Amino acid sequence: SSGSDWWFQMVFCATTASIVSGAVAERVKLSSFLIFVIFLTAFIYPIQGSWSWGGGYLSEAGFLDFAGSSIVHAVGGVAALVAAIMVGPRIGKFGKDGSVNAMPGSNLLLATLGVFILWLGWFGFNGGSVLSADPALTSLTLVTTCLAAAAGGIGAALFSGLLYKNLDLTMFMNGVLGGLVGITAGADQMLPGSAILIGLIAGVIVVLSVALLDKCKLDDPVGAIPVHLFCGIWGTLAVGIFGELAGFDQFMVQLACIGITGVFCVIGATIITLFVKAIAGLRVDEKEEVEGLDISE
């Protein structure tokens, strides 16, 4: 029904907004973030979403994005990237000598619980995107979703273990989320083996892109940009590599459409961020940041 369709799109829209919050955490003004979210959800998300899921010109071109690797995740990731660049890094994240200081989360138990809640929620995110109770298609979607999540965690844990000679729980958790984001565009049409491969590659992408952001002096406290932007791009392209219509033509359609969406979102998010900066400012002052936003906000 139109009511359930509206509700389904509304929570996808909320997901897009929530991705940005992690990338600007611990230093952004709450009021400024809320203004940013209003514009992101009122204009950027519905306009680009309608190009693919509203019978728009991207879907007519043959673009496939089952449950939003690009429409939800990469779009949220682009907005997060723009916002993180504009807000700047947290105090103490990067030393004057170019060193990178790890600023780990204060409660890994709650972070782990959050990842498991997301893993469970993704069965609604992808399984619900079948938009019917078709048992064969729904069960395939649930299986590919779970396999990619598990493979993403393993891929990130093994790869970061090889690179850094330690096992990092946060890398494993972001690998799980990267695997989930990666399978989202093609969860309805992948073979189980392909889903595992997509997840493993997504896990590696997470580790590499975390290192890339550090090199670029970009501060993303929770790894939202590696998970949602980089793995969202990978998942969208994976449809052209492993999907039912896989081939050069489909790959190029996927690439072109994510490029079009990306350019639109970069321009839109930049305009919004500059507007918010002009009317309200973006960052809390230094004293408030050092004390912690829980107190001042």
Side-chain angles (χ1 to χ4, degrees):
S1 73
S2 57
S4 59
D5 280 352
W6 177 87
W7 184 82
F8 203 58
Q9 279 298 328
M10 184 271 294
V11 288
F12 271 38
C13 188
T15 302
T16 309
S18 72
I19 290 165
V20 184
S21 63
V24 294
E26 302 190 348
R27 60 211 193 274
V28 77
K29 284 183 182 173
L30 182 61
S31 55
S32 302
F33 176 70
L34 293 175
I35 299 167
F36 178 89
V37 164
I38 289 168
F39 283 100
L40 175 70
T41 54
F43 298 105
I44 293 180
Y45 177 83
I47 289 171
Q48 62 80 33
S50 70
W51 295 344
S52 305
W53 288 343
Y57 71 98
L58 295 190
S59 65
E60 285 175 6
F63 179 55
L64 298 172
D65 188 353
F66 173 63
S69 281
S70 74
I71 297 166
V72 176
H73 296 283
V75 165
V78 167
L81 178 66
V82 170
I85 291 169
M86 296 261 199
V87 173
R90 289 168 292 175
I91 296 165
K93 174 66 180 175
F94 300 109
K96 289 196 168 65
D97 57 354
S99 60
V100 180
N101 303 310
M103 299 173 77
S106 53
N107 194 325
L108 282 178
L109 181 64
L110 280 182
T112 309
L113 181 63
V115 168
F116 279 120
I117 291 168
L118 274 166
W119 192 334
L120 179 65
W122 231 283
F123 293 129
F125 194 93
N126 285 0
S129 291
V130 175
L131 298 180
S132 77
D134 178 337
L137 195 54
T138 303
S139 54
L140 173 72
T141 302
L142 298 177
V143 167
T144 55
T145 298
C146 199
L147 288 174
I154 291 167
L158 288 178
F159 189 64
S160 70
L162 286 171
L163 276 187
Y164 305 118
K165 303 289 183 282
N166 68 343
L167 287 171
D168 183 344
L169 179 63
T170 58
M171 279 294 191
F172 168 76
M173 294 193 295
N174 271 343
V176 168
L177 298 180
L180 287 162
V181 171
I183 196 62
T184 291
D188 61 330
Q189 52 172 298
M190 295 302 171
L191 294 167
S194 304
I196 292 169
L197 194 55
I198 288 167
L200 284 170
I201 294 169
V204 172
I205 288 170
V206 167
V207 177
L208 291 174
S209 43
V210 166
L212 177 68
L213 290 192
D214 283 343
K215 274 208 165 44
C216 297
K217 297 285 180 279
L218 258 172
D219 186 15
D220 177 356
V222 302
I225 296 162
V227 166
H228 297 281
L229 176 57
F230 289 102
C231 292
I233 292 169
W234 160 237
T236 308
L237 297 177
V239 174
I241 303 170
F242 299 105
E244 287 167 2
L245 300 174
F248 180 74
D249 290 352
Q250 186 63 43
F251 183 84
M252 294 313 290
V253 168
Q254 300 296 105
L255 185 63
C257 290
I258 200 167
I260 292 164
T261 308
V263 169
F264 171 74
C265 294
V266 166
I267 294 168
T270 303
I271 293 168
I272 294 168
T273 313
L274 289 171
F275 171 72
V276 174
K277 190 175 184 177
I279 62 165
L282 294 174
R283 278 185 88 116
V284 298
D285 63 40
E286 194 168 334
K287 179 175 173 290
E288 288 174 326
E289 187 179 335
V290 172
E291 281 180 353
L293 271 62
D294 286 352
I295 296 167
S296 60
E297 297 282 278

